[in-house]
Structure formats: structure tokens, C-alpha cells
Amino acid sequence: QYGPDALSVAQLAQTLGEFGVQARHLRVIKAAAERETSLIEQIVAPLQRQRSAGAAERAGQTAREIAAVSMRLHAALVDAELGEAGLA
């Protein structure tokens, strides 16, 4: 079975394909997402280990907040690199 985000991922991959992005390029993007997720998991691990009520919920919320900031940082870094390449 596919997860709830599978359709969105497939649609975005198809859109990139329209620009000539091939499957081998998508592997790099997927690997980067997996590394970023691993980093976030490491950061929230202490919260997950807590036995208090709501600890899992706090860990999930914190992970989502970190992911959102990370995505904004990624976009800013890509924009900066495109600017340096004369493409912004």
C-alpha cells in the first residue's frame, strides 16, 4: 500500500519530469529528504523518550516545526545559489 502522500509525490515528480528531470535526479532529492528526516528524528528523540503525557504529540509537533523551518532555509539557500549562478 502507498502512504497518504504518495499521490502528491507522484504529481510533483511528474511536474519535474516535464522540465526534463529524470528518475535518477529524483533519487538525489529523495536521499536528501531522508537525511533531513533522520536529522529531525535525532533532534526530537529526547522528547520521544519522555514518558509524560503528551510527549509523543510534542515530539511530532516539534518535528513538523523543524521541518517547516528547514524547508524555508532550503528555499532560501536555493534562491541564493540561483542568484549566484545568474538565474534568479
Side-chain angles (χ1 to χ4, degrees):
Q1 292 291 344
Y2 295 101
D5 297 321
L7 179 58
S8 176
V9 169
Q11 289 170 331
L12 292 167
Q14 179 182 358
T15 301
L16 285 175
E18 293 169 6
F19 290 100
V21 176
Q22 300 172 0
R24 63 189 173 99
H25 303 122
L26 296 176
R27 282 189 216 104
V28 173
I29 295 170
K30 185 175 186 305
E34 290 169 349
R35 285 192 308 273
E36 189 169 358
T37 300
S38 178
L39 173 63
I40 293 169
E41 287 173 343
Q42 289 175 25
I43 293 168
V44 300
L47 290 174
Q48 287 182 304
R49 288 192 293 268
Q50 292 178 357
R51 298 182 190 266
S52 62
E57 185 177 322
R58 281 194 307 277
Q61 179 62 33
T62 300
R64 288 187 296 277
E65 290 175 13
I66 293 169
V69 172
S70 178
M71 290 169 61
R72 290 196 318 261
L73 174 60
H74 178 86
L77 291 170
V78 169
D79 284 344
E81 290 295 324
L82 288 174
E84 289 183 22
L87 298 170

